[in-house]
DNA sequence: AGTCGTAAGATTGTTAGACAAGAATGCACG
DNA sequence: CGTGCATTCTTGTCTAACAATCTTACGACT
């Protein structure tokens, strides 16, 4: 890790930029599971004040990307099997509601279709990190297209940990590249046909497969 | 509002205590919709430093109990009809998943049963505020009993705004006291009988009724 | 008189430095 | 070899201050 990381100041807030920078490094696996992040370390590395680092850490903690209790140093969490099951139970709850609502309208969200294409490109070129990003983008697009601010916020609470886990374990390396794309296509097709039940079923199947891939990476391998 | 409010220091953190105190005042309607809360005002009223007040405001904002954008002062939000519908759509999604899971086990959570009794007492004595608290406790107990940390956290993100809206509009004054209790009882019965579908249906019906009461309070009255 | 722009005030964002309290670590002693 | 205490690290909170942004009101110009 370099002694000073540079922050893009696109967002007007310094805290936002710091939060985003750390977030990316965690979900991409640059900061490994179990790593400790102290306030002063981040503050000196990024050249910001300690309260700023503190604020960023608190936001990340709220999203489950860090674990932190009073007077103790924040660490990148290691999700065990039980937690991964809990994570996917919650994820399936949200995304099922999303695809059902979308199927009720029959409209396939354009962003999801775009992400689907990006997945295929990434899989063809063996760009695993892009593949993870595009997969997250696909599911995020589905939820966002419902237009429910609160459903979207609940999903953000979940998808961060999913991203973290996929990034750390790089589970996509195990999936036949075409498998994920096919499962996604089945979901989109059901949405287009206006079949809420089918869409929900295809989604649940897809996420159970994804969970299985993560768990097998966790135990065996 | 008194010039100085006292904080209970049960939680070891000052920020926690401040957060809890403000949260209660918002959801009980003591601080009305649209009211502005500046950092310095809270800091002087509670006799804490501005950064402490800032941290508490940020937490409340994360839960939807305050609205805040960069460089602007936080205000207690006013939920319009569209937002209340969105709120209940999200709420039904979570709570349906919860009662379905509970029905799969056939175990009626003890806390929910206790809250049910509390509702009856509060209704008998015409203690409207207690009635709201007990109603929130009932639904929270249902979700908590599932034992999913993430489902619980998503529910927290939702129930705060529900509490806020009920507290501000005092919608329970419109409900025949026994109606709510009966609808709750139907949910618990379906859980005990191990009927996930029925439990989900009873829950959806109950929440749609509750939404209707809120919306009618909003428009007419 | 009405409207627009500018200046003053208010509020938040960020920083620095400091002290207290809780947690973790290692060393000395039994 | 294990236990207990002291040191050290880290976080929680505070005070003080300056910069950046937003709001408001006043004044000038049309």
């Amino acid at each position: 890790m370099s002694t000073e990381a540079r922050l893009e100041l696109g967002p007007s807030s310094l805290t936002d930029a710091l939060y985003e920078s750390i977030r990316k490094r965690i979900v991409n696996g640059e900061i490994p599971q179990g790593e400790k992040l102290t306030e002063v370390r981040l503050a000196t590395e990024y050249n910001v004040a300690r309260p700023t680092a503190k604020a960023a850490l608190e936001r990340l903690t709220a999203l489950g990307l860090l674990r932190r209790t009073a007077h103790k140093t924040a660490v990148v969490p290691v999700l065990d099997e039980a937690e991964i099951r809990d994570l996917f139970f919650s994820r399936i709850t949200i995304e099922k509601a999303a695809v059902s609502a979308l199927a009720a309208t029959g409209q396939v969200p354009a962003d999801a279709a775009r992400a689907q294409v990006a997945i295929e490109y990434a899989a063809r070129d063996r760009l695993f990190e892009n593949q993870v990003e595009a997969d997250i983008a696909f599911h995020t697009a589905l939820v966002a297209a419902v237009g429910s601010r609160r459903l979207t916020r609940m999903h953000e609470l979940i998808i961060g940990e999913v991203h973290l886990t996929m990034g750390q374990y790089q589970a996509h390396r195990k999936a036949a590249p075409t498998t994920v794309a096919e499962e996604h296509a089945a979901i989109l097709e059901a949405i287009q046909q206006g079949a809420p039940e089918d869409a929900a079923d295809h989604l649940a199947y897809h996420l159970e497969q994804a969970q299985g891939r993560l768990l097998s990476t966790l135990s065996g391998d």
Side-chain angles (χ1 to χ4, degrees), chain A:
Chain A
M1 190 186 284
S2 65
T3 32
E4 167 153 9
R6 186 126 55 257
L7 290 178
E8 302 175 18
L9 276 113
S12 55
S13 165
L14 188 60
T15 305
D16 288 349
L18 179 59
Y19 158 80
E20 253 310 294
S21 174
I22 302 174
R23 190 195 129 269
K24 279 189 185 142
R25 288 170 62 192
I26 291 177
V27 299
N28 288 336
E30 288 176 44
I31 304 178
Q33 290 183 328
E35 178 117 345
K36 288 206 252 188
L37 292 180
T38 73
E39 296 180 357
V40 289
R41 177 182 155 199
L42 288 173
T44 55
E45 271 177 15
Y46 282 96
N47 228 49
V48 297
R50 188 161 72 95
T52 306
K54 181 188 186 65
L57 288 180
E58 272 163 6
R59 301 235 299 248
L60 290 163
T61 304
L63 283 183
L65 292 177
L66 288 176
R67 298 264 167 97
R68 205 156 108 101
T69 55
H71 291 283
K72 286 205 281 193
T73 306
V75 302
V76 180
V78 183
L79 298 192
D80 60 18
E81 177 173 338
E83 282 180 305
I84 289 179
R85 290 188 183 281
D86 182 41
L87 179 60
F88 273 77
F89 166 71
S90 308
R91 185 185 181 187
I92 289 174
T93 298
I94 298 298
E95 297 198 15
K96 262 174 108 167
V99 297
S100 291
L102 290 179
T105 73
Q107 296 289 324
V108 172
D111 286 349
R114 264 192 289 277
Q116 178 78 327
V117 175
I119 291 175
E120 284 163 14
Y121 282 146
R124 178 166 57 74
D125 299 345
R126 298 273 188 283
L127 298 172
F128 298 110
E129 190 169 303
N130 294 21
Q131 206 174 331
V132 171
E133 299 289 335
D135 183 67
I136 297 290
F138 175 82
H139 289 276
T140 301
L142 286 182
V143 175
V146 177
S148 165
R149 197 170 74 189
R150 286 159 189 86
L151 196 74
T152 302
R153 289 196 47 196
M154 291 193 295
H155 192 248
E156 281 172 9
L157 209 62
I158 295 293
I159 204 68
E161 281 183 293
V162 172
H163 200 160
L164 162 67
T165 307
M166 286 174 63
Q168 299 276 356
Y169 290 130
Q170 311 210 338
H172 263 66
R173 302 198 182 225
K174 295 201 65 172
T178 55
T179 306
V180 171
E182 283 170 9
E183 291 171 5
H184 284 183
I187 297 167
L188 294 185
E189 195 181 336
I191 290 173
Q192 191 179 7
Q193 292 173 349
E197 308 269 325
D198 288 351
D201 288 345
H202 283 302
L203 178 102
Y205 174 77
H206 169 53
L207 290 187
E208 276 155 20
Q209 294 296 113
Q211 173 182 322
R213 286 193 287 271
L214 272 177
L215 290 180
S216 71
T217 306
L218 183 59
S219 56
D221 217 287

